[in-house]
Structures are given as structure tokens and as C-alpha cells.
Amino acid sequence: MNTVISTIVIVASLLLMLASLIVAIRNRPMGMVLLVGFAVLEVAVLVQAGFVIAAVAGGQGPADKVTLFGYVGGQVVIPPAGVFLALAERSRWGAAILVVAGFAIAVMTGRMLQIWAGGA
């Protein structure tokens, strides 16, 4: 697993979480900046998923591949689902949904690093 891309995903998701929290505290709906930010985060997550799949296909990776792929699949779904729900909820709670989505991506990436290292 590529730790550089994982670090980028963690930092980006935490920054988006912080931006979403500020928007929610200010009682504003989600804006274009958060929408574009989560789109970029989704691209980074897809790149990370590609690296994980390529590494596992090359014979690397942990013994518990089912859990790893569960995290990869969950990570790919969270940003679009969060944005969809945030667009459906045009109050401050839409931005709060994005706070949870950003935090979940950061935690799941950290957990994937632990699984990859064998500390499942």
C-alpha cells in the first residue's frame, strides 16, 4: 500500500472535514468548494484503491484480504454517498453529513494501513 497516497487521502479528508464543520457551524448549506473537494477526494480514494488492488494482484498484502477489500469498497462509496445526502439536505445538517464522511475516510485509511502492516 502506498503510504504517500494514504497520507494525501488522510490529510485531504481531515481538511474537508474541518471545512465542512466550519460551514455547519456557520449554519450554511454545502457550497461548490466542498463539492469539488469531495470530488477530488474521491479521485484520490480511487487511485489508492487501484494501488491496493495492483499490490494484492502482485502478491503483496496482508493475509486478511477480505477485510482489506471491505475497507477499500466502503471507502469508495462514502464520498459520493455523503455528497448525495448533503445535497438532499440543504440545511446545516448537510454539511454535518460531510463532517462524518470526511472523518470516516480518514479513519478507514488509517485502519487500512494497520491491516496492511499485519496488525489486524
Side-chain angles (χ1 to χ4, degrees):
M1 197 166 146
N2 191 325
T3 56
V4 173
I5 293 177
S6 298
T7 303
I8 291 169
V9 168
I10 291 171
V11 169
S13 64
L14 290 176
L15 287 174
L16 284 167
M17 182 194 80
L18 181 62
S20 300
L21 182 63
I22 291 170
V23 169
I25 289 171
R26 292 181 65 207
N27 199 16
R28 306 251 192 239
M30 179 186 76
M32 188 59 71
V33 173
L34 289 178
L35 183 63
V36 170
F38 273 90
V40 171
L41 179 63
E42 176 67 11
V43 170
V45 166
L46 289 172
V47 168
Q48 181 180 15
F51 273 102
V52 169
I53 291 168
V56 170
Q60 298 175 341
D64 190 10
K65 291 178 179 37
V66 174
T67 304
L68 180 70
F69 284 126
Y71 275 95
V72 170
Q75 238 187 350
V76 169
V77 172
I78 287 176
V83 167
F84 175 75
L85 290 172
L87 286 172
E89 177 59 49
R90 297 300 294 172
S91 68
R92 77 179 338 177
W93 299 111
I97 291 169
L98 295 180
V99 172
V100 174
F103 183 71
I105 292 295
V107 170
M108 290 178 80
T109 303
R111 183 69 182 122
M112 283 173 49
L113 287 169
Q114 288 177 342
I115 292 170
W116 191 266

